Amino acid sequence: MTNKSKLLDIAERVEAAPGPCRELDAEICAALRIVPGSNADLNQWLVNWGGSFEPVTLGGELRIAAIHPDGKMGTHWKIPIHPTASIDAAASLMPEGRKLTSLIFKTNGKHKGEYEAWLSNGKPGQYILGYHNEPQLAVCAAALRAIAEGME
């Protein structure tokens, strides 16, 4: 599965989730290589890492691990953000140049009873949408789709 298709799959699962989900938070952080702390050396390492990043459970705690190409687990971190639990964390996923232009509660139509998040994609009249009965999950799904849109 490509990174783009993986993000689109996660966005679909976010919209189908019954509510905030730590497992989805871990998958999102792993897919986007979001780890605690930020500095030039760490960011360069994350970009160049040849292995994958996967959610793992260690000592009963859900974490993100760098998996070596040979399948062995390397460095691991706590989950740094919880985009399915917080609208601020969900909004932090939005790619540069994108903004949340509208978050409305639908009272009719196909998505009645759900929030509809509209993210500008930089083109007049075109938006990336996310839906859920919890606003942070609608924003999270739309942000993941916006990131995927920018991938090849």
Side-chain angles (χ1 to χ4, degrees), residues 13-133:
R13 291 179 24 236
V14 164
E15 287 182 329
C21 176
R22 296 289 186 212
E23 289 79 13
L24 281 171
D25 291 337
E27 284 189 59
I28 291 164
C29 290
L32 298 176
R33 297 185 175 204
I34 299 171
V35 300
S38 181
N39 62 55
D41 290 338
L42 176 61
N43 292 340
Q44 191 63 32
W45 181 82
L46 292 170
V47 168
N48 293 323
W49 176 249
S52 64
F53 285 77
E54 302 294 334
V56 296
T57 302
L58 297 170
E61 181 181 22
L62 197 54
R63 299 177 72 85
I64 302 162
I67 307 297
H68 292 273
D70 65 6
K72 294 180 182 173
M73 184 174 62
T75 303
H76 53 85
W77 303 269
K78 290 184 177 186
I79 301 167
I81 63 170
H82 300 282
T84 65
S86 158
I87 199 160
D88 290 335
S92 76
L93 300 177
M94 287 187 278
E96 190 173 326
R98 305 293 198 260
K99 63 180 181 178
L100 181 63
T101 57
S102 181
L103 182 61
I104 59 174
F105 187 75
K106 302 290 286 182
T107 58
N108 58 29
K110 178 181 176 185
H111 295 282
K112 181 180 179 179
E114 294 182 333
Y115 286 91
E116 181 177 73
W118 292 47
L119 267 60
S120 162
N121 69 354
K123 299 173 186 166
Q126 294 183 11
Y127 300 93
I128 297 165
L129 304 175
Y131 298 94
H132 201 278
N133 62 352

